[in-house]
Amino acid sequence: MTGPSVVIIGAGVVGAALADELSARGWTDVTVVDQGDVPATGGSSSHAPGLVFQINGSKTMTEMARYTVEKFVELDSFHQVGGLEVATTPERLAELRRRHGWATSWGIETHLLSAEESVARHSLLDPGTVLGGLYIPTDGLAKAVKAVDAQLARARSRGVRVLARHEVLDITTEGGRVKAVVTDRGDIPADLVVCCAGIWGPKVARMVGMDLPLTPLAHQLAWTGQVPDLAGQSVEVSRPILRHQDADLYYRERFDTLGIGYYGHRPMPISADDILSVDEAEVMPSVLTFTPDDFADAWTETRRLLPSTRSAKVEEGINGLFSFTTDHLPLMGESRDVEGFWVAEAVWVTHSAGVGRAMAEWLVDGHCSSFDLHECDVNRFEPHQIAPDYVRARGCQNYVEVYDIIHPLQPMEEPRPLRTSPFHTRQRELGAMFLEASGWERPQWYEANAPLVAGRDIPPPGGWAARYWSPIVGAEAQATRESVALYDMTALKRLEVSGPGAVAFLQRLTTGDVDKSVGSVTYCLLLDVDGGIRSDVTVARLGPQEFQVGANGNLDLDWFDRHRPADVFVRDITPGTCCVGVWGPKARDLVQPLTRADLKALRYFRGTRTHLGNVPVTMLRLSYVGELGWEIYTTADLGLKLWDTLWQAGQDHLGPQGVIAGGRGAFTSLRLEKGYRSFGTDMTFEHDPYEAGLGFAVKLDKGDFIGREALLARKESVTRKLACLLTDEVVMGKEPVYDGDRPVGYVTSAAYGHTIGRAIAYAWLPAPLATPGQTVHIGYFDRRVEAVVAEEPLFDPAMTRLRG
């Protein structure tokens, strides 16, 4: 046997996929344990209805689903009958067009159908009820238990052990890393343990002190008796699997009967500790007693949509347990605290084989090469997001919203508010319209700025782009370019890096040369070993051994912690600090009277510590909006005083409305005019600096750093680029881009440029098309929007305003 000793806890679709993928890569010292029988273990995989709809707003989730389909077809565990999503309202019809755009962006074949074409695909539909549909030829029905059996058989043939009826009682650790898995039949030594326990995941993770933000919830699945129009059907399924999302319903055939899944009932959460054991459960642990009253509306709607069911009856049903997370996405990766303990949780059948492949690559190679996993990493959460009450509330809300039409800017409603900056009181007084980011209440615009709209040319966007929008957004953007504005940047993650080894540590982790004089600020990237971008950061040297890093989120903190040597200290200072961006051509007029520091001498990308009035601050000469100004930091206790000091100075030195507060809507518009990238939107783990137009942030001559060797090869083989597009219509992001009739890329960020008077969209395109002057088209709902590739930056290319 080769490779480390691996124990996989759980022999469902995820555990089976991982065992197969690991052994295919030569790791055969693998043991799969499960408390139940194999392949029907009693977990969610054993009762899963098996419908696989691949389309998802997440590129990663779509790609994982596509791989799962391809693998299950190869394993003869998939009925590829296609999938049909139908609309019974105009709003859903528009949503299907948006989903068609996602599918095109991510490379999945789909077809928009008329009502008549939809009925032709699925003859049980009522022609008078359906307005249209979206057909996905490669969707279909997964046979989950059969797929488990097939994958475990392949793994066994390579030497993997599969131990059924082994209940995991504990996981022993030594020196902060896993040592063995304790079962009711003895201990199993392990170098690595991967928890694929599904609904039992939180219980297993607690054995190593890990809080897993996962909630098991019951979901109703019912089966009819014979449906007349299916009478005599000799194959299990002949029509496409069907989704009626307007009523939270889905359907699949089983010979002459119909299975009905329903998300419209009340959330039914359960603790992982309260799930019955295999021997105690009447049917299986993941199957609870059906509650007919909760299904009543589903049955009424089913008989309306599918008239042939009116003479049938609901013969049986279950409340089946599935895993839900706080953000709809899986939990993958290694514990921050216990080395060698990994999780692959909250994964449905649809994505199971893709997750198995991703985890195998991650374990064997040290990184995943097939999928961008930044959305799925279990260490992405802020501390409040793993609080039990939060996990339960968000899991229940996500259950309710599974089939809802969600706008890209739509914030969660509860629990709020959670995190407020010290400026929050003043923002409310100014009529802030708050959205939410990582729990922070973040202003999108301020009603107090409504008078600024008068006399300005602010064209209203159409359709979806007009939601969570106000003309005030445009006024705030223009006023920033004319005078000066305060932007609350407190939600930015801030890390303090210090200690004797801090310089060498940051030189190793980042692409930039941060070994400069005290006061220097460096924009640079964090890369993985394959040269893919993990994040973009700013590194400010505040002392010989002290740095402040402007990061993107908890994954950056996790990355720093994993690579930190003993002589380096990393601390998240975000909760105890705050930040206001003071930007605009009059920024120096506003701030200089408040300090004895010579702000004229503080050059671009330099920082200093000083006082503004009575407030001690750190000032960094940076600007994400392309204007003169600073990021100004202080401690949370003095934040309100900082805001008031700046605001009063605006009245004293600039007159009424000489300074305004600006919201995130204006910030995004100004950012795109300057061409500044946003990690997680414009670039992710799958992109390298040269593709993303960030080669300037890579200093290959500074010495070795993580990803450098891979970059040397990638630099010479750029086949795609992030390009700036100008259009006459505002789009939202994730739309497909066409060259003629050929889809060639997809949109990342988009907004209206209120300075340049054009709509802006950034998009990934083949390198030959990403040249200024090229014309392409963006697929936006039911039409094509012409777009022209533009030279960037669109605003102030000579950087005179930033450096002035």
Side-chain angles (χ1 to χ4, degrees):
M1 293 186 180
T2 59
S5 298
V6 182
V7 177
I8 299 171
I9 301 174
V13 283
V14 182
L18 178 55
D20 181 32
E21 297 282 346
L22 279 176
S23 59
R25 287 164 175 77
W27 279 21
T28 54
D29 189 1
V30 177
T31 303
V32 183
V33 297
D34 200 288
Q35 63 183 339
D37 297 309
V38 176
T41 64
S44 299
S45 302
S46 302
H47 75 256
L51 290 83
V52 174
F53 288 91
Q54 298 166 83
I55 301 175
N56 193 294
S58 164
K59 182 173 183 283
T60 296
M61 298 302 285
T62 300
E63 290 172 340
M64 286 179 171
R66 177 168 50 204
Y67 180 77
T68 301
V69 166
E70 292 168 353
K71 186 174 184 180
F72 282 14
V73 168
E74 175 196 344
L75 295 172
D76 192 27
S77 302
F78 197 76
H79 295 301
Q80 201 158 41
V81 292
L84 179 63
E85 302 180 358
V86 295
T88 59
T89 63
E91 293 78 13
R92 183 66 61 178
L93 195 61
E95 170 71 358
L96 293 186
R97 291 174 180 137
R98 183 169 75 127
R99 293 174 65 79
H100 173 64
W102 289 346
T104 305
S105 292
W106 316 145
I108 300 289
E109 178 188 354
T110 57
H111 303 277
L112 288 165
L113 305 182
S114 66
E116 295 76 16
E117 291 169 329
S118 299
V119 174
R121 287 284 181 185
H122 202 295
S123 60
L124 299 186
L125 289 166
D126 178 6
T129 302
V130 177
L131 301 180
L134 180 63
Y135 177 63
I136 309 96
T138 52
D139 282 352
L141 195 64
K143 307 298 291 183
V145 174
K146 188 176 181 181
V148 168
D149 202 23
Q151 291 177 99
L152 288 180
R154 299 206 308 193
R156 281 191 185 102
S157 71
R158 303 181 189 115
V160 171
R161 291 194 305 163
V162 180
L163 303 179
R165 289 286 179 168
H166 281 60
E167 182 181 359
V168 174
L169 304 177
D170 199 4
I171 298 168
T172 60
T173 62
E174 187 176 283
R177 66 163 299 115
V178 296
K179 182 179 179 182
V181 173
V182 180
T183 79
D184 58 350
R185 297 193 182 188
D187 295 2
I188 307 171
D191 299 313
L192 300 171
V193 175
V194 187
C195 178
C196 304
I199 53 178
W200 290 278
K203 184 176 181 180
V204 174
R206 278 201 307 274
M207 295 175 184
V208 296
M210 183 179 186
D211 294 318
L212 204 63
L214 182 158
T215 303
L217 282 114
H219 166 61
Q220 290 199 304
L221 175 67
W223 294 95
T224 70
Q226 186 183 76
V227 175
D229 287 357
L230 298 179
Q233 183 167 298
S234 59
V235 295
E236 181 177 356
V237 56
S238 64
R239 293 165 183 79
I241 57 172
L242 181 66
R243 252 200 307 211
H244 176 27
Q245 291 155 296
D246 282 322
D248 298 304
L249 287 160
Y250 63 79
Y251 304 92
R252 55 151 294 184
E253 299 170 15
R254 185 177 66 183
F255 298 101
D256 61 353
T257 68
L258 204 61
I260 307 168
Y262 185 44
Y263 287 105
H265 57 79
R266 62 191 169 91
M268 304 177 191
I270 184 172
S271 169
D273 297 314
D274 295 333
I275 301 171
L276 296 177
S277 69
V278 172
D279 293 323
E280 291 174 322
E282 184 177 345
V283 180
M284 63 179 75
S286 62
V287 170
L288 306 182
T289 303
F290 187 62
T291 50
D293 289 349
D294 291 303
F295 196 73
D297 290 344
W299 185 231
T300 298
E301 180 61 21
T302 294
R303 287 177 290 174
R304 184 179 79 92
L305 182 74
L306 310 173
S308 187
T309 61
R310 292 170 187 167
S311 57
K313 294 181 179 179
V314 174
E315 299 285 358
E316 57 180 307
I318 65 170
N319 288 3
L321 294 176
F322 287 87
S323 299
F324 279 78
T325 62
T326 58
D327 59 4
H328 288 295
L329 293 163
L331 308 173
M332 301 168 61
E334 188 180 19
S335 164
R336 286 186 63 180
D337 301 316
V338 178
E339 188 178 353
F341 183 79
W342 294 70
V343 300
E345 290 289 353
V347 181
W348 294 3
V349 173
T350 298
H351 311 102
S352 58
V355 168
R357 178 175 184 170
M359 290 297 298
E361 290 177 351
W362 201 348
L363 288 165
V364 174
D365 302 329
H367 69 97
C368 176
S369 56
S370 294
F371 310 102
D372 159 39
L373 297 182
H374 86 275
E375 296 175 310
C376 305
D377 193 311
V378 69
N379 296 298
R380 65 189 180 268
F381 299 103
E382 295 289 326
H384 73 274
Q385 294 173 323
I386 57 175
D389 289 349
Y390 181 93
V391 172
R392 185 183 178 96
R394 291 306 306 153
C396 290
Q397 187 61 35
N398 286 339
Y399 182 90
V400 170
E401 294 176 350
V402 159
Y403 283 168
D404 285 4
I405 300 171
I406 305 293
H407 189 274
L409 294 178
Q410 183 172 329
M412 70 178 192
E413 296 178 3
E414 295 291 340
R416 283 179 68 192
L418 283 169
R419 308 174 83 181
T420 57
S421 81
F423 318 136
H424 187 253
T425 299
R426 297 295 181 259
Q427 291 166 344
R428 291 180 60 188
E429 292 169 357
L430 293 171
M433 192 283 187
F434 291 101
L435 298 184
E436 182 267 344
S438 297
W440 291 102
E441 295 294 312
R442 189 165 68 182
Q444 189 72 359
W445 68 80
Y446 295 86
E447 288 296 331
N449 292 327
L452 295 176
V453 174
R456 297 181 184 273
D457 181 16
I458 304 172
W464 265 50
R467 300 187 186 185
Y468 301 98
W469 179 88
S470 166
I472 298 171
V473 167
E476 290 176 358
Q478 292 178 358
T480 302
R481 296 260 187 252
E482 297 162 358
S483 184
V484 61
L486 308 184
Y487 286 85
D488 184 357
M489 305 300 289
T490 301
L492 281 174
K493 176 71 75 175
R494 292 174 291 285
L495 307 178
E496 179 186 85
V497 179
S498 61
V503 174
F505 170 68
L506 289 169
Q507 289 289 78
R508 171 69 177 154
L509 251 66
T510 72
T511 61
D513 184 1
V514 303
D515 192 6
K516 303 174 184 175
S517 61
V518 172
S520 65
V521 183
T522 307
Y523 174 80
C524 42
L525 308 172
L526 306 181
L527 304 181
D528 213 326
V529 293
D530 65 345
I533 300 171
R534 289 194 61 92
S535 188
D536 64 335
V537 297
T538 54
V539 180
R541 191 167 195 175
L542 302 181
Q545 299 179 357
E546 181 187 356
F547 295 82
Q548 179 174 305
V549 178
N552 280 296
N554 243 35
L555 286 186
D556 296 344
L557 174 60
D558 180 64
W559 187 252
F560 276 43
D561 277 342
R562 290 185 188 280
H563 291 85
R564 178 181 63 83
D567 62 349
V568 173
F569 306 95
V570 177
R571 187 165 65 99
D572 182 1
I573 61 172
T574 313
T577 57
C578 58
C579 177
V580 58
V582 181
W583 295 314
K586 297 182 181 179
R588 193 177 287 118
D589 297 335
L590 172 69
V591 181
Q592 184 62 78
L594 300 174
T595 181
R596 296 179 181 180
D598 183 358
L599 297 185
K600 184 73 173 177
L602 186 64
R603 303 189 307 277
Y604 188 49
F605 268 83
R606 296 289 298 180
T608 190
R609 281 171 164 163
T610 184
H611 289 81
L612 297 185
N614 296 315
V615 181
V617 296
T618 299
M619 298 180 65
L620 304 183
R621 176 99 182 261
L622 305 174
S623 172
Y624 285 99
V625 303
E627 294 290 342
L628 169 68
W630 307 269
E631 293 177 1
I632 303 177
Y633 300 87
T634 192
T635 51
D637 60 321
L638 289 168
L640 185 59
K641 183 62 176 177
L642 172 63
W643 182 280
D644 288 346
T645 299
L646 291 166
W647 193 264
Q648 186 58 51
Q651 318 311 309
D652 293 344
H653 302 294
L654 302 178
Q657 291 190 329
V659 62
I660 67 161
R664 191 69 179 184
F667 176 90
T668 299
S669 170
L670 298 169
R671 172 181 77 81
L672 291 182
E673 288 183 332
K674 281 301 293 181
Y676 293 143
R677 277 68 166 139
S678 173
F679 178 80
T681 303
D682 297 316
M683 72 276 194
T684 66
F685 290 4
E686 68 176 299
H687 304 113
D688 72 46
Y690 305 110
E691 297 171 328
L694 297 175
F696 67 88
V698 178
K699 307 304 180 187
L700 291 172
D701 58 355
K702 73 160 186 173
D704 195 24
F705 55 86
I706 295 174
R708 182 181 183 278
E709 186 176 343
L711 279 191
L712 294 176
R714 294 183 73 153
K715 183 179 182 181
E716 305 305 323
S717 58
V718 174
T719 59
R720 60 182 175 180
K721 289 185 177 181
L722 186 64
C724 177
L725 306 179
L726 290 177
T727 74
D728 290 326
E729 183 170 0
V730 178
V731 298
M732 295 299 298
K734 300 186 179 181
E735 295 87 0
V737 180
Y738 295 87
D739 178 28
D741 291 328
R742 180 173 62 103
V744 292
Y746 58 91
V747 173
T748 58
S749 297
Y752 191 81
H754 293 282
T755 311
I756 65 169
R758 297 289 302 278
I760 306 166
Y762 272 77
W764 282 101
L765 297 177
L769 287 177
T771 55
Q774 286 277 4
T775 298
V776 293
H777 289 82
I778 299 172
Y780 189 54
F781 289 93
D782 58 346
R783 57 193 182 280
R784 300 283 178 89
V785 176
E786 184 175 278
V788 177
V789 179
E791 194 80 48
E792 57 174 331
L794 299 169
F795 176 78
D796 188 27
M799 307 282 279
T800 56
R801 296 172 76 105
L802 277 171
R803 299 180 186 278

